Amino acid sequence: MIDLEVRLEEPTSLPDVIALLVEHEGSAKVIAGGTDILVDMKNGDLRPKLLISLARVEGLDAIEVIDDALWIGALVTPNQLVADERLQAWLPALVDAAQCMASYPVRNLATIGGNLCSASPSADLAPSLLVAGAEIVIYKQEGEMRNPLSDFFVDVRRTMLGSAELLTHVVIPKPPPRTGIAYCPFKLREANALAVASSAARLTLEDTGAVSDARVVLGAVAPTPLLAARSSELLVGKKPSSELFAQAAAQASVESKPINDVRGSETHRKALVEVLTRRALEEALHRAQTGGAA
Amino acid sequence: MKVIRITVNGDEIELGVHDAESLQDALRERLGLTGTKKGCSRGVCGACTVLINGEPKNSCLILAARCDGDEITTIEGIARDGELHPLQKAFIHSGAVQCGYCTPGMVMSAYALIQRNPDPSDEEIKQALGGNLCRCTGYTKILDAVRNWNQFEGDFERSPHADDLEAYQTVGKSLPRPDAWDKVSGKAVYTGDIVLPGMLHAKLLHSPIAHGKIVKIDTSEAERIPGVRAVITGADTPDVLYGISPARYDEPVLAKGKVYYVGEPVAAVAAIDERTASRAIGAIKVEYQELEPVLDPVHAMDESAPQLFERYAGNINTLVDHHFGDVEDGLAQADFVMERSFTGNFTNQAPMEPHASVADWKPDLLTIYSSSQIPHYLHYTASYIFDLPLGKIKILRPTVGGGFGAKAQPCILDLVAAVLSKQTGKPVKLVFSREEVFLWHRGRHKQTITMKLGMTKDGRMTALESDIVLDGGAYSSFGVITAYYAGSMLLTLYKIPNYKYLGRRVVTNKPACGAFRGHGTPQPRFALECLINMMCETYDLDPVEVRRINGMEPNYRTVNDLDIGSCEFVQCLDKVVEASGFREKRDRLPVGRGIGLSCGGFVSGAGYAIYRGSVQRHTEKSREPFQKKAIFPHANAYVKISEDGTQAVVFIGAAEIGQGSDTVLCQIAAETLGLPIDRVRIKSDDTDTSPIDLGAYSSRITLMAGNAVKMAGEDVLQKLFPVVAELLDCRADELSAAGGVIFAESDPIKRLDWAEAARMYFNDQSSLIGRGWYKPPEGLGGDYKGAVVGTSPAYSFGALVCEVSVDMQTGKVRLEKFWDFHDCGTPINPMSVHGQVEGAIVMSSGEAIMEGMIFDETGRLVNPNLHEYLLMTIRDAPEIFSGIVDSYEPEGPFGAKEIGEGATVPVIGAVASAIADAIGVWITDLPITPDKILAAIKNDGSPNPTGTKP
């Protein structure tokens, strides 16, 4: 039950959105798909006075290729991501992540921008975007700026976005040749579930087959999506092997900082990180070798 | 407010909506499109799914104000010109509809799928429907319906089902439900859909603490809010305690002076709309003095623990101390004795329809519309609480969206809505949110079980000892009976000569537990079946042979004095073992793959009513001594024939809650009367017109109400046949009725159209009405305290095998396949029997591996929502084979007995045993989560994931 004092504005341009945010600083919330924010409001955890809808702002709901990068508008839904052939080729891990979110009807409502801005530690889209080196475009009164997504998450449900700033696009660079990215979440049921732990892995291989670039990002095991830095470093310069992946996976588990909650214990999550990281690395290698992400 | 222009089901509409109003509410409240359901309002259950510009979306997560310009299709817009879409027909004829509350959302998601992909694969169907939760069907028949939807285009032919019985005209046939048409088209009216002129909306205020004194309640600010019509607290409710079992009435309507659990209703508000009521609830100030909560049921019995109620010394609410035969002697005869401990879980029935009530108190009549399984007990309780004669109260039971026991006791909503209606002089509606369903609970008790079983070398069971502590939560609810069932029902499957049961139901500061499908028995049965399997494993005995040797036989009196009638237990066992390949697979599947066998069964209706004495106002009778017989008929029916003779209407108070009782009773009536099914309908929703039936609990309706309906039908024929006999010049006892014709068996020329005969009857003798009733047999049960619980006119039996795979690295369980064979007597409707089995398997295996209410150290429920309390989705549901064995129960109508609850009883034990077989370690603490599985594997020293089993 949402209090009917709440007002809704549906501005049609980014400057208008920002103007409203400035005018109602502290009492306004931006609403994209609404799948998180309306639940929070119904639960009484969030009580904004004004909702600023992005739905009527032009240009935020498309996926475009600009300068060898994929620009994904903040309002693009998971089902749009799943259906996009370019994305299927460039970053199938993000397609997998989008497809495992919530449920089909929710995937028609939720948005990539909302999934990132909600900054839930278990959010599905962030880990594979982070390993892919994605950037975000932030719009504010002074203009647009591009930031690495890796700077974006500050704490549980907190991002670097200022009160009068808006995430408008996610930019995914074209992956270098022989790059594979994979996302492995663990969920307690097969649909309509949040990740208990997840791992996204990226491997870029040299001609020789050795790893030239590697990144492992973990979900749901820290206040924010977590770059397992030492695990990633451990992979670089080495030939992929089960032993190497086992080492990197064990290291990722060490680096994870999970909590006990209703979905799982710290111990289980630590164990999951190891398994999921190993599986993600294996799939990433397979994709790198078969050109899955070229 | 915003004005939006939308197209709804093809009509362009201009609509004023509040800025923050959900599309779900706008559709339901402003446009009256109540086919869009409200199951969680948080985007998890999917019951509110509608199409926006062709795409399925959760209307609870959409602001109506943002829909300007959109084209919206709701369930009401799928049928064209009165002709159902083939998909809707597929749902009806495949048995994909039970309570119907998930159906609109399910149909919308499936409809959108077949628009984009007319021939979807199973995987695509499951992807598309993963966001639509169903609690009744186990998804099996929903999958069937979507898979085969295009077979229902145009005039399709209904092909007979494989297990339809030939012996009868109507009984034994897999006929569709009479209410399915309404349910697939969004027309079924549930209590929460009701709008009465001038109706007010109410909300409850709940205690935020688990245990404490109410020092002060200040309602003044709430009362001043414009639109608020009444604010009540415990002081405004009658000074009586109520409950289920009169011996343990211990619950106030609203808390009086003290609160005993987080979520206990403390105050209520009625206002012009739900939002105003919510706001007023927020304005009530309550000052509490917190007291130390009692949360652990075992420690609660310590002397040092705070005493919650004076009447429950040591916090023990119910003590059962039973000893039959001589357990010490029995154990001495055993070659093998094993003792193990098991822990159950708190599980919630989570019917897709949250409880709802509308009360309308007029000077001469209190009317309550309630989503109830037990309209009669509600009737009785309202009479007691409000001190009104039963005749001045009318209970209406609109369509009910599932119960499973959650709605088997009078609900706070019914009582509070009545008080508010009396105060305001207006009808008042009160509906639970999903969170409140969990807080009210009345679900499964968490049982802490220690069991000891003795067996001889050849597998004969010599003695069983069971010690169970049931965490009851704050009040009694159904719990007294639960504590007895947890003991008595263990003896219906195996002939165990010596049995000792110590059951202690303990009060704690948690929501009250009550009756949940299988009432008290699934957890002890899980324990015993696992213990049998453990012993077979340890002592190298054959789990099938052990069950056969001890297996129940017909016409047997158990050591605790339960009289078993028909019994095809061994047949169930043999068939399930053969169909599943259990013997070949046991111990031979690779690590990570396992198979488990377990058995179960249940009563076909409780042998005694919940209260003693006659049906009358409580104040008019003194507390009566127990008599070993039914005082009044537990089921009563009329069959009235329309004046033109063409239609029979069955009147009975048996609560259709989705389980299919209306269908079964219509089939029984049709068979008895000799009329085709389309000439029988039923009215079971109104205590004014339909005589008493005790309700949908203890799996009693098919047998008890079925017998009453059969007798009423026979009464009709007894009245009608003499008229026909005179005309045909034969004796009345020569006549039979079938297929709408009455004829003399000896002379086929002597025949008369049924309707013609009935018209003639009406012309001469006024209305043709038959009466029937059913009283359980006298003298059921033994002569010891508590002997009545577990008595029944008949018992069901079943055997189940389950195959699982376990990811040995994450602990994740995949339920691969189940095989179930059941002795339900004559299946009145085989499709409905299979539907019950499939639903029971999915519900109970969810209890086995993922469901559980979790409380924090202050007694707060951590997961009162469908995000974190996990119900299985269609993607988790296993493949199920359900089989029915030949059986005939002389006490049941056409030989029938129960299926609905018995089908749940073996499930947890089968799943737990299959997991143990897969991983090589027993986990005896429910739910068996990946977390526990992985920990158990690690503690056991990690079997080699690629090797063979030890």
Side-chain angles (χ1 to χ4, degrees):
Chain A
M1 189 56 43
I2 296 173
D3 198 313
L4 294 184
E5 301 286 288
V6 179
R7 271 196 319 118
L8 173 75
E9 290 282 353
E10 295 190 278
T12 53
S13 73
L14 289 174
D16 289 352
V17 172
I18 299 302
L20 282 166
L21 277 172
V22 170
E23 190 188 339
H24 300 276
E25 193 186 330
S27 65
K29 281 295 279 185
V30 168
I31 177 169
T35 55
D36 279 341
I37 199 171
L38 292 179
V39 171
D40 288 346
M41 287 172 69
K42 287 176 180 207
N43 288 342
D45 297 336
L46 190 68
R47 299 173 190 277
K49 294 232 163 37
L50 175 68
L51 287 174
I52 304 167
S53 169
L54 298 185
R56 312 256 170 222
V57 178
E58 296 263 318
L60 298 182
D61 60 357
I63 305 176
E64 292 168 285
V65 180
I66 302 173
D67 297 338
D68 237 11
L70 213 49
W71 283 59
I72 302 178
L75 294 188
V76 167
T77 66
N79 276 346
Q80 272 178 281
L81 295 175
V82 172
D84 192 273
E85 286 174 10
R86 292 159 300 180
L87 192 67
Q88 286 163 12
W90 278 29
L91 188 52
L94 189 65
V95 173
D96 298 340
Q99 187 132 35
C100 79
M101 281 171 69
S103 65
Y104 190 87
V106 170
R107 295 198 290 271
N108 277 330
L109 283 168
T111 64
I112 187 171
N115 193 252
L116 296 177
C117 291
S118 285
S120 160
S122 63
D124 280 305
L125 299 183
S128 33
L129 285 169
L130 283 164
V131 296
E135 295 180 309
I136 46 168
V137 178
I138 294 176
Y139 184 91
K140 51 184 166 178
Q141 249 168 347
E142 298 79 30
E144 267 183 10
M145 63 180 200
R146 259 169 91 161
N147 272 79
L149 179 62
S150 52
D151 294 344
F152 186 64
F153 301 104
V154 176
D155 202 344
V156 177
R157 304 200 140 235
R158 273 187 57 214
T159 68
M160 61 176 279
L161 274 188
S163 58
E165 295 180 351
L166 193 71
L167 185 156
T168 62
H169 291 86
V170 178
V171 183
I172 304 172
K174 182 168 180 150
R178 292 179 301 281
T179 295
I181 294 176
Y183 175 65
C184 287
F186 181 83
K187 302 190 176 195
L188 293 172
R189 62 180 171 192
E190 294 298 312
N192 234 330
L194 298 176
V196 180
S198 66
S199 181
R202 173 233 179 101
L203 292 172
T204 301
L205 306 180
E206 291 176 27
D207 286 344
T208 61
V211 176
S212 63
D213 193 2
R215 237 166 289 173
V216 173
V217 169
L218 310 174
V221 290
T224 65
L226 181 77
L227 174 70
R230 275 176 305 193
S231 170
S232 309
E233 280 163 26
L234 202 148
L235 293 155
V236 177
K238 307 212 178 73
K239 281 247 185 209
S241 69
S242 323
E243 296 73 37
L244 179 67
F245 289 171
Q247 268 177 35
Q251 178 58 38
S253 175
V254 171
E255 287 177 75
S256 68
K257 295 175 251 181
I259 55 165
N260 290 307
D261 69 11
V262 64
R263 275 184 284 282
S265 67
E266 182 188 336
T267 324
H268 190 224
R269 283 193 162 101
K270 284 244 171 203
L272 286 174
V273 165
E274 187 167 346
V275 177
L276 298 171
T277 301
R278 199 170 60 235
R279 290 178 184 177
L281 284 166
E282 278 158 12
E283 178 62 19
L285 176 65
H286 175 73
R287 283 179 172 162
Q289 288 171 338
T290 56
Chain B
M1 293 288 286
K2 296 257 187 308
V3 174
I4 54 170
R5 282 177 196 78
I6 50 178
T7 305
V8 180
N9 300 331
D11 297 322
E12 283 177 40
I13 294 173
E14 198 172 83
L15 196 65
V17 295
H18 288 293
D19 286 30
E21 178 172 332
S22 70
L23 178 63
Q24 177 185 43
D25 287 347
L27 291 169
R28 290 175 52 83
E29 289 161 25
R30 296 188 190 275
L31 299 177
L33 294 171
T34 53
T36 296
K37 293 296 173 218
K38 228 175 167 169
C40 72
S41 297
R42 301 291 188 279
V44 193
C45 78
C48 69
T49 307
V50 299
L51 307 190
I52 314 264
N53 306 322
E55 287 292 342
K57 297 181 180 182
N58 311 73
S59 62
C60 71
L61 294 183
I62 295 172
L63 296 180
R66 297 214 296 174
C67 293
D68 191 37
D70 284 344
E71 193 176 310
I72 296 160
T73 309
T74 70
I75 186 68
E76 291 89 347
I78 300 290
R80 291 265 176 263
D81 308 320
E83 175 74 12
L84 294 181
H85 188 277
L87 177 68
Q88 292 170 302
K89 294 182 194 168
F91 267 66
I92 294 175
H93 293 279
S94 309
V97 179
Q98 287 189 27
C99 88
Y101 206 76
C102 77
T103 307
M106 202 66 86
V107 169
M108 294 313 288
S109 281
Y111 178 77
L113 170 67
I114 61 172
Q115 301 299 309
R116 50 182 198 270
N117 178 2
D119 190 19
S121 67
D122 283 4
E123 183 49 36
E124 286 164 333
I125 296 170
K126 290 179 184 180
Q127 264 284 352
L129 301 185
N132 293 87
L133 298 176
C134 169
R135 197 60 162 159
C136 298
T137 65
Y139 304 103
T140 312
K141 300 201 184 311
I142 291 174
L143 188 61
D144 279 350
V146 183
R147 226 185 240 152
N148 302 322
W149 74 274
N150 52 19
Q151 293 176 15
F152 293 86
E153 274 177 304
D155 294 325
F156 62 90
E157 284 276 302
R158 183 194 161 269
S159 50
H161 287 239
D163 43 13
D164 281 1
L165 301 180
E166 294 302 322
Y168 305 99
Q169 303 271 318
T170 314
V171 154
K173 305 282 191 278
S174 292
L175 300 173
R177 304 171 59 95
D179 59 4
W181 196 91
D182 278 351
K183 286 175 172 175
V184 298
S185 49
K187 290 190 168 65
V189 176
Y190 297 78
T191 305
D193 302 334
I194 290 172
V195 178
L196 298 179
M199 188 177 79
L200 300 174
H201 298 260
K203 284 276 168 194
L204 296 169
L205 175 69
H206 303 276
S207 167
I209 60 168
H211 188 202
K213 287 186 178 142
I214 300 172
V215 179
K216 202 167 91 187
I217 305 186
D218 179 0
T219 57
S220 54
E221 195 184 314
E223 282 158 18
R224 282 198 297 271
I225 293 175
V228 170
R229 293 288 184 265
V231 184
I232 59 167
T233 67
D236 303 299
T237 60
D239 238 346
V240 289
L241 301 174
Y242 78 107
I244 271 285
S245 174
R248 298 283 199 297
Y249 281 178
D250 56 7
E251 188 161 3
V253 175
L254 289 171
K256 284 179 186 277
K258 274 184 97 177
V259 288
Y260 290 97
Y261 66 96
V262 175
E264 176 156 11
V266 169
V269 172
I272 51 165
D273 57 32
E274 224 180 320
R275 289 153 185 105
T276 308
S278 287
R279 201 173 304 168
I281 285 293
I284 298 173
K285 296 185 188 71
V286 188
E287 194 183 311
Y288 296 97
Q289 182 197 334
E290 280 201 54
L291 298 170
E292 186 190 336
V294 175
L295 298 172
D296 181 307
V298 176
H299 291 143
M301 293 185 284
D302 293 347
E303 262 179 43
S304 58
Q307 292 293 296
L308 295 185
F309 300 90
E310 221 168 274
R311 61 190 293 195
Y312 304 138
N315 290 319
I316 297 176
N317 159 276
T318 305
L319 175 71
V320 189
D321 191 359
H322 282 166
H323 192 174
F324 308 100
D326 185 335
V327 161
E328 282 68 34
D329 187 43
L331 289 173
Q333 291 167 33
D335 297 303
F336 310 125
V337 175
M338 188 180 270
E339 179 178 304
R340 288 287 182 274
S341 293
F342 302 84
T343 316
N345 43 349
F346 290 104
T347 54
N348 186 272
Q349 297 93 341
M352 294 322 296
E353 179 210 22
H355 311 48
S357 180
V358 178
D360 189 5
W361 195 317
K362 292 175 185 159
D364 262 344
L365 180 65
L366 166 60
T367 305
I368 303 176
Y369 302 76
S370 176
S371 57
S372 177
Q373 297 178 230
I374 36 92
H376 173 66
Y377 289 128
L378 170 57
H379 201 177
Y380 185 82
T381 305
S383 157
Y384 170 68
I385 290 181
F386 301 122
D387 198 19
L388 286 173
L390 283 140
K392 296 294 182 196
I393 303 170
K394 171 158 85 165
I395 308 295
L396 292 164
R397 177 202 50 77
T399 312
V400 176
F404 316 107
K407 300 167 182 171
Q409 82 154 75
C411 182
I412 178 85
L413 299 180
D414 302 317
L415 308 173
V416 168
V419 173
L420 287 167
S421 177
K422 189 179 187 189
Q423 273 207 9
T424 58
K426 306 234 178 212
V428 173
K429 183 199 262 188
L430 192 42
V431 181
F432 272 158
S433 66
R434 179 54 60 183
E435 180 179 11
E436 289 175 310
V437 173
F438 282 103
L439 295 179
W440 173 248
H441 189 46
R442 322 289 144 157
R444 188 93 65 215
H445 291 68
K446 176 176 176 156
Q447 300 185 27
T448 306
I449 302 168
T450 301
M451 252 180 224
K452 188 194 278 187
L453 179 63
M455 271 190 217
T456 60
K457 282 197 292 268
D458 55 1
R460 200 165 44 81
M461 297 178 195
T462 58
L464 174 66
E465 195 172 341
S466 174
D467 179 326
I468 301 183
V469 175
L470 299 95
D471 189 344
Y475 296 112
S476 288
S477 178
F478 247 111
V480 180
I481 300 160
T482 320
Y484 282 97
Y485 265 133
S488 65
M489 291 302 292
L490 278 184
L491 295 190
T492 65
L493 296 195
Y494 308 115
K495 296 173 285 182
I496 305 176
N498 304 294
Y499 177 52
K500 194 188 265 187
Y501 169 53
L502 177 65
R504 287 167 293 175
R505 182 182 190 270
V506 180
V507 282
T508 59
N509 293 114
K510 294 178 198 155
C513 299
F516 182 174
R517 198 177 196 176
H519 199 176
T521 68
Q523 290 176 13
R525 178 57 60 190
F526 143 72
L528 179 57
E529 295 293 316
C530 286
L531 187 55
I532 294 170
N533 290 339
M534 288 169 172
M535 288 184 78
C536 291
E537 186 183 281
T538 304
Y539 301 112
D540 202 21
L541 297 167
D542 179 341
V544 180
E545 277 312 306
V546 165
R547 286 176 169 86
R548 287 182 109 260
I549 290 166
N550 298 282
M552 190 48 63
E553 58 189 58
N555 306 316
Y556 183 90
R557 190 174 178 97
T558 66
V559 70
N560 61 339
D561 296 330
L562 302 178
D563 286 307
I564 306 294
S566 65
C567 171
E568 295 298 336
F569 174 67
V570 174
Q571 201 193 144
C572 293
L573 185 61
D574 289 346
K575 288 209 158 147
V576 84
V577 166
E578 192 192 334
S580 62
F582 177 77
R583 285 185 195 279
E584 298 73 50
K585 290 175 180 170
R586 178 173 172 256
D587 288 337
R588 293 191 201 138
L589 296 172
V591 167
R593 187 99 182 178
I595 194 159
L597 166 67
S598 174
C599 300
F602 205 60
V603 297
S604 297
Y608 294 87
I610 285 165
Y611 62 86
R612 290 177 190 173
S614 302
V615 178
Q616 72 192 108
R617 188 178 182 176
H618 215 277
T619 48
E620 290 162 356
K621 61 179 174 188
S622 52
R623 192 165 148 71
E624 291 169 46
F626 171 68
Q627 297 182 59
K628 216 166 154 185
K629 63 175 188 183
I631 304 299
F632 59 88
H634 290 190
N636 301 270
Y638 317 139
V639 171
K640 173 180 171 282
I641 307 303
S642 66
E643 287 72 3
D644 67 352
T646 58
Q647 191 76 25
V649 186
V650 178
F651 292 85
I652 187 166
E656 167 67 64
I657 58 171
Q659 85 283 41
S661 59
D662 275 1
T663 320
V664 162
L665 296 178
C666 283
Q667 285 181 255
I668 289 172
E671 187 73 40
T672 312
L673 292 165
L675 287 173
I677 191 71
D678 61 356
R679 285 169 60 184
V680 178
R681 66 171 176 268
I682 187 165
K683 176 135 182 78
S684 60
D685 63 352
D686 182 342
T687 58
D688 263 9
T689 54
S690 302
I692 286 182
D693 175 272
L694 292 182
Y697 71 99
S698 76
S699 270
R700 52 177 296 291
I701 292 184
T702 297
L703 188 143
M704 297 198 181
N707 274 325
V709 168
K710 183 163 179 279
M711 182 175 166
E714 286 161 356
D715 192 34
V716 166
L717 294 183
Q718 278 205 0
K719 289 175 173 159
L720 189 55
F721 281 177
V723 175
V724 180
E726 208 178 307
L727 252 159
L728 297 180
D729 195 20
C730 64
R731 293 195 327 274
D733 63 9
E734 286 178 81
L735 292 173
S736 291
V741 177
I742 297 169
F743 55 94
E745 303 236 17
S746 53
D747 186 354
I749 296 167
K750 294 186 173 172
R751 49 195 284 132
L752 185 65
D753 177 65
W754 208 107
E756 177 66 25
R759 268 198 303 277
M760 290 166 57
Y761 181 96
F762 175 67
N763 291 344
D764 294 341
Q765 308 189 43
S766 180
S767 302
L768 177 53
I769 295 175
R771 261 178 355 122
W773 63 88
Y774 179 77
K775 268 189 182 188
E778 284 190 20
L780 287 180
D783 292 318
Y784 56 91
K785 184 170 184 276
V788 299
V789 184
T791 60
S792 178
Y795 296 84
S796 71
F797 300 90
L800 179 72
V801 168
C802 144
E803 195 170 335
V804 303
S805 53
V806 179
D807 182 331
M808 297 295 283
Q809 295 174 341
T810 62
K812 178 84 170 273
V813 173
R814 171 92 217 148
L815 302 168
E816 300 288 349
K817 179 149 186 184
F818 282 75
W819 297 262
D820 177 277
F821 275 87
H822 227 88
D823 165 12
C824 61
T826 302
I828 304 293
N829 183 318
M831 179 168 78
S832 194
V833 169
H834 298 313
Q836 288 297 306
V837 170
E838 290 151 2
I841 285 174
V842 168
M843 174 180 269
S844 301
S845 43
E847 289 189 70
I849 63 171
M850 61 173 74
E851 292 186 28
M853 289 161 66
I854 300 166
F855 296 90
D856 70 11
E857 65 284 357
T858 67
R860 192 182 61 92
L861 179 60
V862 179
N863 55 343
N865 58 68
L866 298 178
H867 267 297
E868 290 164 313
Y869 183 92
L870 301 172
L871 309 183
M872 280 213 241
T873 72
I874 193 170
R875 300 193 62 198
D876 302 282
E879 187 188 344
I880 296 167
F881 174 85
S882 161
I884 303 168
V885 301
D886 285 338
S887 171
Y888 187 90
E889 168 55 54
E891 186 68 21
F894 301 100
K897 45 189 185 178
E898 80 91 35
I899 184 67
E901 296 190 73
T904 66
V905 176
V907 179
I908 303 176
V911 173
S913 299
I915 292 172
D917 187 41
I919 68 174
V921 199
W922 281 94
I923 298 172
T924 55
D925 173 23
L926 302 176
I928 305 174
T929 57
D931 201 337
K932 290 179 194 168
I933 289 174
L934 209 58
I937 294 172
K938 292 221 156 126
N939 289 339
D940 197 55
S942 272
N944 171 9
T946 54
T948 51
K949 283 173 195 166

